Amino acid sequence: MSHSNQQFKRKTFDFSSWFFTVLTGAATYLIVSILAVILLNVLISGLPRFSWRFLTGGTERDMFSVANAGVWPMIVGTSIRVFVMTLMVVPVGVITAIYLTEYASSISFLTRVIRGAVNNLAGVPSIVFGLFGLGFFISYVGKGLDHVFYAGGESHWGKPAVIWAALTLAVMTLPVVIVATEESLRSIQPGLREASLALGATKLQTIFKIVVPQAMPGILTGAILAIGRAAGEVAPILFTGVAYYMADLPHSLNDLFMDLGFHTFILASQSPNIEQTKPILYSTVLTLLLLTFGLNFIAVLVRGRMRAARRSVH
Amino acid sequence: MTDTPLKTVISRPGATSAAGDHRDLIHVRDLSLYYGASKALKNISISLKGNLVTAFIGPSGCGKSTFLRCFNRMNDLIDHVKITGLIEIGGQDINHREVDVIELRKKVGMVFQRSNPFPKSIFENIAYGLRLHGMKAKSEVEGVVEQSLKASALWDEVKDRLHSSALGLSGGQQQRLCIARAIAIKPEILLMDEPASALDPIATSKIEELILELKRDFTIVIVTHNMQQAARISDYTAFFYIGELIEYDSTVKVFTNPGRKQTEDYVTGRFG
């Protein structure tokens, strides 16, 4: 009896187990508390100046005036560039992912090169994308368009504009969409493709009627991640379309735009009296956070609906 | 597995009225299939008869499923597969370059080992194939859906929930839905790749009853691991071993008086 008791005797104190529990727990709480500090700081300092007037007001009088400044032009600018980017990046990313998973042979040299390129693209610093956008989209594509359509030397497209900023961001976020879509395409039961093909469907019919509808939630996840990444980025738009100040809202895709992230930088560094403009700086940051969360929230809602719809069908 | 019950099931009239005037529908001559450099099917020649059930049996990895998938060219989907030899269905070489694989698969339907209904409604699962092949009129689609569900003995169980998800059905029901989906486009031949291997005994016996019903209208080729099942439902049986066709004869003959030692060892359970 006493022997078997001893065999299963509990150790009084298992130090390594205790240490590891504390270590992992501490790491987790550290991350959560950093996030909490940031959010609380922004909320507490940003809320006092955060009002309907602030959100819908412009910069007509003085963008540094605490009483009059508004962020409406920046909300519009940021929303447009994110929206146009999404329209560009989702189709291109999804089509690339379809090619990689459904058509390309997974062991071919070309496929491996493409995969490597996609992964490396994700690691390129965002300022490099900004320079790429300036060099490729503005100097090459834009100037080329001007050359073809406006021979008089007028510059309509060969200058920084919201379309070029959006395209630059689209290139930057392409890997996110490709990887998310590829993952969701690969997680589809292979039996579904076989079932469709065995019924006499073509590959194209199978992709559009069975595979892509199944992958929709994953595609939306990719879009959400891309939006989240792009909304707060400033570096890629510095040379490609953002304006320090504009009297008007952008009217067409070749207009400049104001941007919440860039405006935050201006308020923090260019103001004649930085201490005085601090409240509107915080409110601007709060607006940027809310806009990013809002865009994400919409996409998450759409994805949730889609999942529910697929579960119950009717 | 003892000998007695096997013989009793074989002597059932439904399963043995095989012979007669069923003409050869599928001809295979000297078929070999390679995965890259390895030869998975070795010089198979066989003729399968129309409106009968032919069972392919043999231990795992013997090539029976691979062979089955040659009849609707599902092996086309796999990289580095090479086929030599001839397969004729109704006198037509199905690997000829002028053959439209879509038309072939319309004529040669398939039911898979794991039931794979689309994540759509029961109705849409069957309507999918019909619409692919150009059926547009709603009433016509509805008619064929009902007919197919009745033919696969599923109608009474699902008629009140045609528009709810097929994924809510039980495993056996899902497999019968897959059969309904396959027969809705009216193939001549129905290939079944271990259709009941993932099902419980009751669902399995329903599938088996269904196969015996369906053979009036379709030529059925079924791959099975379950020898009692082959004995119960098939008219002819082909035994494969490591890529070779060892023996092919009427099911009664294969199970009661096999011509080859390997077949005998396998059907009596001495290896497998």
Side-chain angles (χ1 to χ4, degrees), chain B residues 96-113:
Chain B
H96 193 276
R97 62 185 165 78
E98 276 175 19
V99 165
D100 182 358
V101 68
I102 306 294
E103 289 302 315
L104 173 70
R105 288 178 186 156
K106 246 166 93 176
K107 217 171 131 182
V108 185
M110 190 165 204
V111 175
F112 296 84
Q113 179 175 5

Side-chain angles (χ1 to χ4, degrees), chain A residues 239-256:
Chain A
F239 317 117
T240 52
V242 77
Y244 180 90
Y245 173 78
M246 275 173 80
D248 275 328
L249 294 175
H251 293 297
S252 79
L253 286 178
N254 62 350
D255 277 345
L256 292 168

Side-chain angles (χ1 to χ4, degrees), chain B residues 57 59 109 114 130 134 152 189 194 202 217 226 229 235 240 269:
Chain B
I57 61 169
R114 280 187 57 192
L130 301 174
S152 59
I189 299 166
E194 300 187 39
I202 292 169
D217 300 310
N226 178 334
Q229 183 173 67
D235 303 296
F240 293 84

